[in-house]
Amino acid sequence: MSDTAPVDDWGTDYDILDPEYVRDPAPVWDELREGCPVAHTERWGGSFLPTRYDDVQTLVKLVPELSNSDPLVTTPPPEVIEENQANPDDGFVSTLLAGTDDRGEPIDPMRVVGMLNLLLIAGIDTTWSSIGSALWHFGTHPADRERMAAEPELWPTAIEELLRFYAPVTMGRLATEDVEIRGVTIPQGSKVIMNFPGANRDPEMFERPDEVILDRPHNRHVAFGAGIHRCAGANLARLEMDIALRTWFDRIPDFEVSAPDEVTWAGGQIRGPRYVPIRFPSAS
Ligand code: HEM
């Protein structure tokens, strides 16, 4: 079976890079939640995919049984490390290099490289994906756009709701031992997809999960994960979304997606729109 062959059975052969799944994975999560809440595939190296909120919450807290150790730490130290070792200053890199871990041991420079890589990856694609999804939403849902232009006091709940609905980040784990969940054994050495976006659409947890409700009062979404690896930049991300969206609405409250069929979405671990043609009607 080629990794790119069409999917017949999502429960046993899902493909997170299938074009339909990349465009809108929510119908697949709905189907799996009902029929096969912990799905498995051999595609792309093999993995397990939970879709229920409770299961994602359980799995994300299984540390160290499910490990997220970062393969990027094996990359060679770049010049920035050597420069900082030769000429330490009071900046972030020098502080990490001079620091100790939770056992009081010096932090390996390779691990510092991993932390810097993680910060760059975790901090950039994530926020422009979530801001892009929000602009796509308002550019295709005029009633919501008009409401935000008229009621800017809704931004705090609206941002949480956009994070829930368009949660951009799906992380992976490696099972360091056999793990049981909902009658399924995830064998040691298997990959598990931490499906935070799917958990955010679980009807057992959220009323009307497939609607964007800009003033949703209770919203315990897991767009930022949960447990000890919960996003370290969550409040920075919220601030970036708040500033970007308020500034956009202050300056150009009247806009629309001009060619919805031309919009493209990035698949994989960070989901968001990559090409969104926008028209500003009041400027024409
Ligand atoms: C909307 C934007 C963002 C979303 C949705 C998001 C989401 C997430 C999620 C789901 C995780 C948990 C991963 C896991 O359980 O393995 C995570 C981890 C992390 N995020 Fe974010 N993130 C965002 C923005 C940022 C920003 C702006 C930064 C920093 C500049 C950042 C830094 C990190 C770091 C360092 C971790 C790893 C924490 C750990 O493993 O202990 N994130 N993020």
Side-chain angles (χ1 to χ4, degrees):
M1 159 78 63
S2 147
D3 277 345
T4 52
V7 176
D8 285 330
D9 182 342
W10 285 90
T12 58
D13 185 33
Y14 65 80
D15 180 359
I16 59 164
L17 297 181
D18 176 90
E20 279 304 296
Y21 187 91
V22 168
R23 200 185 55 75
D24 182 10
V28 172
W29 299 329
D30 289 346
E31 180 188 320
L32 290 177
R33 227 178 270 117
E34 287 303 310
C36 185
V38 182
H40 178 254
T41 191
E42 288 297 332
R43 296 189 194 225
W44 310 111
S47 59
F48 287 82
L49 179 74
T51 43
R52 292 199 178 181
Y53 185 93
D54 285 353
D55 293 346
V56 171
Q57 281 279 10
T58 301
L59 290 169
V60 81
K61 286 171 189 147
L62 287 182
V63 180
E65 295 92 325
L66 295 179
S67 160
N68 79 341
S69 55
D70 188 343
L72 292 173
V73 294
T74 56
T75 50
E79 281 167 20
V80 67
I81 297 291
E82 283 150 30
E83 281 165 19
N84 270 272
Q85 283 170 325
N87 302 299
D89 58 23
D90 60 357
F92 184 55
V93 179
S94 296
T95 305
L96 284 177
L97 286 170
T100 52
D101 66 15
D102 54 354
R103 288 163 305 190
E105 302 287 331
I107 301 174
D108 187 319
M110 301 291 261
R111 206 151 270 286
V112 173
V113 174
M115 290 183 203
L116 298 176
N117 277 332
L118 175 64
L119 264 185
L120 284 175
I121 294 164
I124 296 174
D125 278 13
T126 50
T127 40
W128 63 264
S129 292
S130 58
I131 292 166
S133 294
L135 290 176
W136 179 85
H137 178 82
F138 292 120
T140 51
H141 295 76
D144 282 352
R145 179 183 57 73
E146 281 161 24
R147 188 169 181 204
M148 290 314 303
E151 301 176 62
E153 66 278 10
L154 289 184
W155 278 118
T157 52
I159 285 171
E160 294 310 311
E161 178 66 343
L162 292 161
L163 281 165
R164 180 190 73 81
F165 195 89
Y166 296 103
V169 178
T170 306
M171 295 303 283
R173 294 288 191 277
L174 190 67
T176 59
E177 56 187 77
D178 288 2
V179 167
E180 296 282 332
I181 183 91
R182 209 174 277 278
V184 173
T185 303
I186 298 175
Q188 180 186 16
S190 308
K191 282 188 265 178
V192 180
I193 293 177
M194 255 343 131
N195 187 8
F196 303 118
N200 281 349
R201 299 292 193 97
D202 187 343
E204 298 253 314
M205 182 63 190
F206 301 96
E207 275 180 41
R208 294 151 65 202
D210 292 321
E211 286 175 48
V212 170
I213 300 172
L214 297 168
D215 55 358
R216 186 181 285 277
H218 306 292
N219 199 345
R220 293 181 61 78
H221 69 74
V222 282
F224 291 119
I228 66 166
H229 292 297
R230 189 177 181 281
C231 180
N235 286 338
L236 173 62
R238 289 182 166 115
L239 184 65
E240 286 182 39
M241 286 182 76
D242 190 274
I243 292 171
L245 294 170
R246 280 182 199 265
T247 305
W248 181 290
F249 270 71
D250 281 349
R251 296 186 184 177
I252 27 180
D254 188 15
F255 65 98
E256 62 191 15
V257 172
S258 55
D261 292 344
E262 289 175 22
V263 173
T264 55
W265 293 79
Q269 287 186 255
I270 316 270
R271 180 173 183 272
R274 289 298 178 261
Y275 177 70
V276 186
I278 297 266
R279 177 167 50 216
F280 308 126
S282 44
S284 52

